[in-house]
């Protein structure tokens, strides 16, 4: 093709225009890349007490705590596994998300929910609120969960894009390796929010006590899992990943015989439609036919004889516990003071010497929050905060709006968050 000399300036100007336009794009693309590509792995180490890192010196968690932002995480009442895991992913108090304890009775459904009953655990109709995986999916984000409480139930008809039915026997290595595999999926299939759960530290804490050698070994074993995850991510995945490590509650030592309170002293089973025993508290659901005032009077007389218990009518439960607006909370709550616990069997048969479930202001009930990654301010000790305050941090990292319905503080963790815009500068 013959090119006329007159056409050169034309080509040159076309070329300038082209490169001019292209040279504008890389910056925008880079910005967009940063904007789109922040990932979040939320890890729960069940029952990891606020002071285990200092007590047992796990090397990886110690490093992560120094490297990123950290605080003691304040659980919700009751400081049990299910209500707290579900508060962590909904930003709601247990009375507002409906999982008011590990076991509870619903007087309207006339059914009992219990974490050991697979049918109930997998029935999404028990769970209120919108968990973060559903909230993120609504904005087109893929999500995955390896065993987070609630993720194997169709909540509002929805599951995470990738999830498994809970099976505590699945080795931790397998859970970690699957997280890495999820992150190696092609972009369209790859989850940007991943939840991961480990139960071992809680289990050993119950069986051997929080300060036992066995609990220490469980902490070190989970530490090596987090090390495995970090190493694999560094070697096999090139993505801007934020990691938030939390626990649902702590653990306190108890003496099976010295701290045992016989629950049977306090009530007459005939008065109740259901009585739900939870070790650290007992919930009583009155029959319609009995008078609450009469029952309370009798129970109060008994409760006043012990300085190790508190008895509440639901409406009288201290306001700051945020635990009196749901019929799934018994009409009457009998609570043991730490480290006492209720039981109906002889203390020789008690298998646990560690427990949790007491009020959130008991220090031994506090858990951990360690966060690290490109969107987290490094080397930051932030003020201790409630686990319902976490939700806005997930939204900031994933760049999605906050829900209207949120019990947590909307800006509590703003100071530890670094936006992608700020990262570029
Ligand atoms: P607890 O110490 O009684 O508050 O509950 C801890 C137990 O909850 C752990 O030992 C786990 O076996 C169990 N658990 C945790 N997550 C799930 C889940 N998604 N489904 C069923 N059980 C679970
Ligand atoms: Zn737990
Ligand atoms: Zn536990």
């Amino acid at each position: 093709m013959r090119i006329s000399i007159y056409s050169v300036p034309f080509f040159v100007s076309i070329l300038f225009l082209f490169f001019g336009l292209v040279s504008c794009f890389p910056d925008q693309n880079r910005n967009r890349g940063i904007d789109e590509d922040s990932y979040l792995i939320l890890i729960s180490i069940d029952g990891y007490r606020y002071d285990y890192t200092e007590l047992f010196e796990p090397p990886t968690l110690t490093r992560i705590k120094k490297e990123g932002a950290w605080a003691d995480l304040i659980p919700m009442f009751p400081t049990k596994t299910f209500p707290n895991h579900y508060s962590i992913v909904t930003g709601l108090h247990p009375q507002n998300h409906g999982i008011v304890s590990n076991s509870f009775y619903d007087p309207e459904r006339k059914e009992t929910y219990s974490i050991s009953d697979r049918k109930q655990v997998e029935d999404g109709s028990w769970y209120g609120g919108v968990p973060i995986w559903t909230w993120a999916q609504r904005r087109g984000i893929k999500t995955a969960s390896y065993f987070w409480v609630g993720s194997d139930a169709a909540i509002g008809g929805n599951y995470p894009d990738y999830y498994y039915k809970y099976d505590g026997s699945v080795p931790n290595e397998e859970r970690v390796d699957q997280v890495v595999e999820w992150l190696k999926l092609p972009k369209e299939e790859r989850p940007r929010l991943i939840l991961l759960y480990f139960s071992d530290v809680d289990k050993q804490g119950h069986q051997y006590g929080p300060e036992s050698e066995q609990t220490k070994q469980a902490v070190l074993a989970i530490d090596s899992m987090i090390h495995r995850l970090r190493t694999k991510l560094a070697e096999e995945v090139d993505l801007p990943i934020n990691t938030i490590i939390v626990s649902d509650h702590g653990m306190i030592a108890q003496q099976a015989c010295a701290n045992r309170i016989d629950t049977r002293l306090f009530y007459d089973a005939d008065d109740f439609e259901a009585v739900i025993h939870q070790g650290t508290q007992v919930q009583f659901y009155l029959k319609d036919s009995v008078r609450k005032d009469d029952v309370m009077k009798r129970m109060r007389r008994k409760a006043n004889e012990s300085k190790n218990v508190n008895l509440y009518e639901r409406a009288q439960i201290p306001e700051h516990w945020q635990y009196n607006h749901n019929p799934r909370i018994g009409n009457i709550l009998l609570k043991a003071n730490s480290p006492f616990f209720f039981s109906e069997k002889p203390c020789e048969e008690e298998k646990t010497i560690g427990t949790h479930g007491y009020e959130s202001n008991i220090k031994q009930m506090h858990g951990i929050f360690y966060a690290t990654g490109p969107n987290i301010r490094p080397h930051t000790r932030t003020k201790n905060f409630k686990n319902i305050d976490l939700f806005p941090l997930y939204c900031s990292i994933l760049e999605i709006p906050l829900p209207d319905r949120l019990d947590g503080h909307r800006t509590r963790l703003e100071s530890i968050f670094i936006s992608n815009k700020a990262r570029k500068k």
Side-chain angles (χ1 to χ4, degrees):
M1 188 176 76
R2 275 187 63 207
I3 300 173
S4 151
I5 184 127
Y6 301 110
S7 57
V8 169
F10 171 74
F11 274 120
V12 169
S13 45
I14 292 287
L15 276 176
F16 269 109
L17 188 65
F18 176 72
F19 282 113
L21 281 174
V22 169
S23 66
C24 291
F25 282 142
D27 232 22
Q28 275 184 6
N29 278 338
R30 197 163 43 237
N31 298 354
R32 193 179 299 126
I34 288 173
D35 287 354
E36 285 174 353
D37 282 345
S38 283
Y39 288 72
L40 172 59
I41 306 178
L42 177 62
I43 302 174
S44 162
I45 312 176
D46 197 320
Y48 192 106
R49 196 168 75 182
Y50 77 98
D51 59 347
Y52 280 177
T53 301
E54 286 65 44
L55 212 52
F56 301 136
E57 300 180 334
T60 309
L61 288 162
T62 303
R63 201 170 316 127
I64 290 174
K65 185 173 181 178
K66 283 203 186 107
E67 177 183 298
W70 73 273
D72 299 342
L73 193 58
I74 303 169
M76 300 293 100
F77 180 83
T79 53
K80 299 277 187 192
T81 297
F82 268 54
N84 278 287
H85 274 91
Y86 202 54
S87 282
I88 291 169
V89 294
T90 55
L92 298 176
H93 289 121
Q95 67 174 357
N96 291 337
H97 64 51
I99 304 299
V100 299
S101 197
N102 278 356
S103 299
F104 55 87
Y105 179 69
D106 186 319
E108 279 152 35
R109 292 170 69 135
K110 304 236 173 282
E111 274 185 297
T112 299
Y113 175 98
S114 164
I115 68 167
S116 53
D117 181 339
R118 289 307 308 163
K119 186 171 156 278
Q120 307 297 354
V121 167
E122 290 174 21
D123 178 349
S125 67
W126 286 103
Y127 303 77
V130 180
I132 183 61
W133 53 85
T134 301
W135 188 247
Q137 281 170 306
R138 286 186 192 161
R139 266 119 202 122
I141 293 172
K142 290 255 182 293
T143 64
S145 165
Y146 218 125
F147 293 160
W148 201 279
V149 166
S151 67
D152 52 0
I155 301 174
N158 186 62
Y159 293 100
D161 293 283
Y162 309 99
Y163 72 95
Y164 296 96
K165 294 205 170 192
Y166 188 73
D167 173 1
S169 70
V170 173
N172 292 330
E173 284 86 349
E174 214 172 302
R175 308 180 193 192
V176 166
D177 293 355
Q178 182 58 57
V179 169
V180 179
E181 289 311 308
W182 277 327
L183 289 165
K184 289 203 249 173
L185 286 170
K187 191 156 190 262
E188 320 74 68
E189 294 163 37
R190 191 188 307 146
R192 279 181 59 213
L193 168 69
I194 299 177
L195 299 98
L196 174 62
Y197 170 77
F198 299 115
S199 67
D200 316 49
V201 172
D202 177 75
K203 185 162 176 265
Q204 301 300 77
H206 281 298
Q207 201 172 339
Y208 301 101
E211 285 162 35
S212 63
E213 180 58 26
Q214 289 86 344
T215 301
K216 175 179 180 175
Q217 290 312 320
V219 165
L220 295 178
I222 296 304
D223 189 76
S224 76
M225 286 302 112
I226 310 247
H227 177 70
R228 181 187 181 99
L229 178 65
R230 282 184 28 121
T231 310
K232 281 182 171 250
L233 290 179
E235 287 171 1
E236 300 171 29
V237 177
D238 182 21
L239 293 168
I241 298 168
N242 298 281
T243 309
I244 301 179
I245 301 173
V246 295
S247 57
D248 50 347
H249 51 72
M251 188 70 71
I252 191 166
Q254 60 182 192
Q255 293 173 287
C257 290
N259 298 145
R260 177 182 168 279
I261 303 169
D262 191 332
T263 324
R264 288 167 300 187
L265 299 172
F266 297 91
Y267 72 102
D268 180 350
D270 288 343
D271 291 334
F272 303 102
E273 196 169 309
V275 177
I276 304 286
H277 299 266
Q278 290 276 277
T280 49
Q281 61 268 142
V282 187
Q283 313 248 24
F284 298 92
Y285 304 78
L286 283 167
K287 278 181 181 162
D288 288 338
S289 54
V290 300
R291 275 172 45 92
K292 185 171 70 191
D293 291 350
D294 296 343
V295 176
M296 266 311 275
K297 210 181 282 171
R298 269 182 271 136
M299 289 181 77
R300 169 105 34 229
R301 209 173 304 131
K302 282 285 168 202
N304 285 346
E305 288 169 14
S306 167
K307 59 182 187 317
N308 302 320
V309 307
N310 287 111
L311 185 73
Y312 302 101
E313 260 180 61
R314 186 168 59 219
Q316 258 73 61
I317 293 173
E319 188 58 33
H320 64 277
W321 295 10
Q322 293 290 318
Y323 202 66
N324 38 29
H325 290 315
N326 193 314
R328 292 178 182 176
I329 300 163
N331 314 79
I332 298 171
L333 172 73
L334 181 65
K335 185 198 71 66
N337 294 331
S338 73
F340 291 88
F341 68 99
F342 297 109
S343 171
E344 297 203 345
K345 55 186 179 192
C347 64
E348 295 76 24
E349 286 175 26
E350 283 298 335
K351 296 219 165 40
T352 66
I353 57 165
T355 197
H356 53 89
Y358 303 107
E359 309 90 291
S360 308
N361 64 333
I362 307 279
K363 190 64 192 164
Q364 288 97 329
M365 294 298 103
H366 290 190
I368 54 161
F369 163 80
Y370 302 161
T372 176
N375 299 107
I376 302 293
R377 197 164 296 290
H379 315 296
T380 309
R381 200 289 187 221
T382 189
K383 223 173 89 191
N384 300 346
F385 64 93
K386 295 177 183 172
N387 62 18
I388 49 171
D389 299 339
L390 282 161
F391 202 98
L393 180 61
Y394 320 144
C395 294
S396 299
I397 291 170
L398 298 171
E399 293 191 289
I400 56 177
L402 281 182
D404 290 337
R405 209 174 146 218
L406 191 64
D407 292 333
H409 201 296
R410 289 178 175 262
T411 55
R412 174 65 194 83
L413 294 178
E414 219 167 44
S415 63
I416 65 158
F417 173 70
I418 308 173
S419 69
N420 287 326
K421 215 158 136 208
R423 268 170 67 201
K424 273 183 308 156
K425 284 181 189 157

